[in-house]
Amino acid sequence: MKRRYRRLLALSIAFLTACSPAPNGSGPSLPTRTMGLQDSLPPMRSFAGDRVTTPTRSNREIGKDFMDLSFQMESGRPVTRLTRFETPISVRVTGQVPPSLTPDLRALLGRLRDEAGIDIFMTGAESAAITVEAIPRAVLNKAVPRAACFVVPRVSSWAEFKSVRRTPTVDWTTLERRDRATVFVPSDVAPQEIRDCLHEELAQALGPLNDLYRLPDSVFNDDNIHAVLTSFDMLILRAYYDPALANGMTRGQVAARLGPVLDRLNPAGQARPARPQNDTTRDWIQNIETALTAGSSGTTRRTAALRAVNLARALNWSGPRDGFALYAFGRLNVGYDSDLALNAFQQSLQIYNGSPETRLHAAHVSVQLAAFALSSGDGQAVLDLAEWALPVAAAHENAALLATLMMFKAEALEMQGRSGEASAVRLDSLGWARYGFGHDDNVRARLSEIASLNPLKGT
């Protein structure tokens, strides 16, 4: 079965400056003073894969999230039984493996062992329970249009997947237990995109099959804000593999045992009050997907985003869903109605700033606001936004976001006449940019795009 087109729907860094406000004039043509762009870039930097800590919510809330994640597909189809691998779980890597993949996978498996308590390890054996196969994006997209990465049950190779892709063999809802699965990732994209695919798809190979837009602190959310598994995700996976649960359990059987499991694994969540939760309507999801998916006209996408904003308000949501709808609406109005876009970003930031669980969301919105501030010549506003968001991006191991914020900071420093500091920050951004954006041409393009927003660098 085809799984998850989350990378298609990404509203984060992937097309940041395509939606940024344009300054007056045609902008620079990569002037040497911006950053020695004719020179070789510094070595790529990457994160150590340390634990990402997020706030712990009420166990009653987490219990409902667990049930909705585990017993329903993204399409709304019910999953009748819990299925998981029997441990220990072996993982192998095949295909055209880029240099960053194996180190990032090893770091992820280490976190799964330490934080989720799952006995999982790498192997070279063909009989591995989970295969990670890296193939060129063009090959992947030819077979599965617009999918960036996905996971499939009951197969161990790309060739095997293609032979059974339209059969019940790859239907997750028919599983009695999990014995084999393959995660397909692109081999020729930025290291961060490959790493994000590993985190997202390996987590679903192991555990829940659903995504919930209401989650503020999880990769199990199609808003794509979180790039790596959070402590919430690790708690979900730890509970999923707890000895109190077993393959084949029904929803009712799991519900009867889950409360004590979570209280044992997450004692801090016992006393915290459960906040009201309501399900995300299919109408809202359909409007968001229309807004984010290329192919429809700009008017259709903007109208769909506005409907999502209004639905969120009508349902009195306050958090990741209404903030995200406003964020999407803002992105789609940049270049069309800048006042509407700016207002939407400001409202989105206000919502996201209302909870520590959505600090990373606020950091993404800060990039958009920094673009407006830079293009208007307000260097101090850019610095204020960047200084707040930089440690958030670093803590959540988002190199693309981190590098972008540093590039904005460098432009703001230069705008204030602090050229030495600007050069140092810009240089420091490049190692992270190589991990976040991949090819050196992509890094140089991002530098140029952000520099073009600086009114002091116009023609």
Side-chain angles (χ1 to χ4, degrees), residues 6 11-12 54-55 212-219 221-227 230 319-325 327 345 348-369 388-389 392-393 396 398 401 405:
R6 290 188 57 181
L11 264 186
S12 328
T54 53
L212 298 172
Y213 275 105
R214 71 173 185 255
L215 298 180
D217 50 3
S218 175
V219 300
N221 186 327
D222 269 329
D223 66 9
N224 285 320
I225 295 296
H226 286 278
T230 67
R321 290 171 293 189
D322 52 333
F324 186 63
Y327 180 46
F345 290 139
S348 178
L349 184 66
Q350 184 177 10
I351 291 167
Y352 285 150
N353 278 337
S355 169
E357 293 164 352
T358 48
R359 292 176 71 242
L360 181 59
H361 304 63
H364 280 276
V365 180
S366 294
V367 169
Q368 306 303 322
L369 293 173
W388 175 86
V392 177
H396 289 85
N398 191 321
L401 178 60
L405 287 164

Side-chain angles (χ1 to χ4, degrees), residues 109-446:
L109 298 186
R111 286 194 60 204
L112 289 168
R113 288 190 296 269
D114 295 342
E115 297 176 51
I118 298 175
D119 188 357
I120 187 168
F121 63 95
M122 289 191 68
T123 181
E126 292 185 6
S127 59
I130 298 175
T131 298
V132 175
E133 184 165 351
I135 60 177
R137 170 171 272 175
V139 175
L140 188 153
N141 288 160
K142 184 176 180 180
V144 188
R146 301 185 301 183
C149 52
F150 56 96
V151 59
V152 180
R154 295 193 180 113
V155 303
S156 296
S157 70
W158 180 251
E160 190 177 358
F161 161 66
K162 289 198 296 182
S163 70
V164 297
R165 55 182 295 204
R166 293 183 175 90
T167 72
T169 298
V170 289
D171 185 345
W172 289 92
T173 65
T174 65
L175 295 181
E176 299 287 340
R177 52 179 283 165
R178 303 188 195 184
D179 296 304
R180 289 188 301 152
T182 297
V183 172
F184 296 109
V185 300
S187 60
D188 50 0
V189 298
Q192 177 166 313
E193 184 173 349
I194 298 170
R195 182 208 62 183
D196 295 357
C197 281
L198 291 173
H199 278 247
E200 177 185 344
E201 305 305 341
L202 193 59
Q204 292 211 317
L206 293 168
L209 300 168
N210 196 10
D211 280 319
L212 298 172
Y213 275 105
R214 71 173 185 255
L215 298 180
D217 50 3
S218 175
V219 300
F220 294 111
N221 186 327
D222 269 329
D223 66 9
N224 285 320
I225 295 296
H226 286 278
V228 299
L229 292 171
T230 67
S231 55
F232 168 87
D233 299 325
M234 292 298 183
L235 175 60
I236 291 293
L237 290 170
R238 183 179 281 273
Y240 206 89
Y241 280 82
D242 191 88
L245 306 184
N247 263 310
M249 279 188 168
T250 65
R251 185 181 183 107
Q253 290 171 325
V254 171
R257 297 192 181 188
L258 184 59
V261 169
L262 289 175
D263 287 346
R264 171 165 40 82
L265 297 178
N266 184 40
Q270 293 184 59
R272 296 187 177 183
R275 296 167 296 189
Q277 288 179 310
N278 50 22
D279 294 332
T280 306
T281 64
R282 295 306 305 178
D283 191 16
W284 187 88
I285 292 173
Q286 288 165 4
N287 277 295
I288 279 291
E289 291 182 349
T290 298
L292 305 188
T293 304
S296 301
S297 69
T299 299
T300 298
R301 296 175 70 185
R302 286 189 295 271
T303 300
L306 182 58
R307 286 197 191 109
V309 169
N310 290 334
L311 279 169
R313 286 171 175 165
L315 293 166
N316 293 317
W317 290 342
S318 180
R321 290 171 293 189
D322 52 333
F324 186 63
L326 284 161
Y327 180 46
F329 184 64
R331 294 295 297 272
L332 291 167
N333 275 285
V334 173
Y336 177 77
D337 188 325
S338 294
D339 289 339
L340 267 181
L342 180 58
N343 183 260
F345 290 139
Q346 290 169 337
Q347 290 184 63
S348 178
L349 184 66
Q350 184 177 10
I351 291 167
Y352 285 150
N353 278 337
S355 169
E357 293 164 352
T358 48
R359 292 176 71 242
L360 181 59
H361 304 63
H364 280 276
V365 180
S366 294
V367 169
Q368 306 303 322
L369 293 173
F372 275 92
L374 183 61
S375 65
S376 67
D378 191 346
Q380 189 56 52
V382 175
L383 286 176
D384 291 343
L385 288 162
E387 290 292 354
W388 175 86
L390 278 166
V392 177
H396 289 85
E397 300 188 3
N398 191 321
L401 178 60
L402 181 64
T404 299
L405 287 164
M406 294 173 78
M407 291 175 188
F408 272 109
K409 180 179 178 179
E411 293 300 324
L413 289 168
E414 197 163 290
M415 186 178 285
Q416 293 187 347
R418 300 156 67 181
S419 299
E421 294 175 73
S423 296
V425 171
R426 190 176 288 116
L427 180 63
D428 198 26
S429 75
L430 299 181
W432 295 114
R434 295 188 73 184
Y435 184 82
F437 301 124
H439 196 279
D440 288 359
D441 288 347
N442 297 336
V443 176
R444 292 184 172 96
R446 185 52 45 92

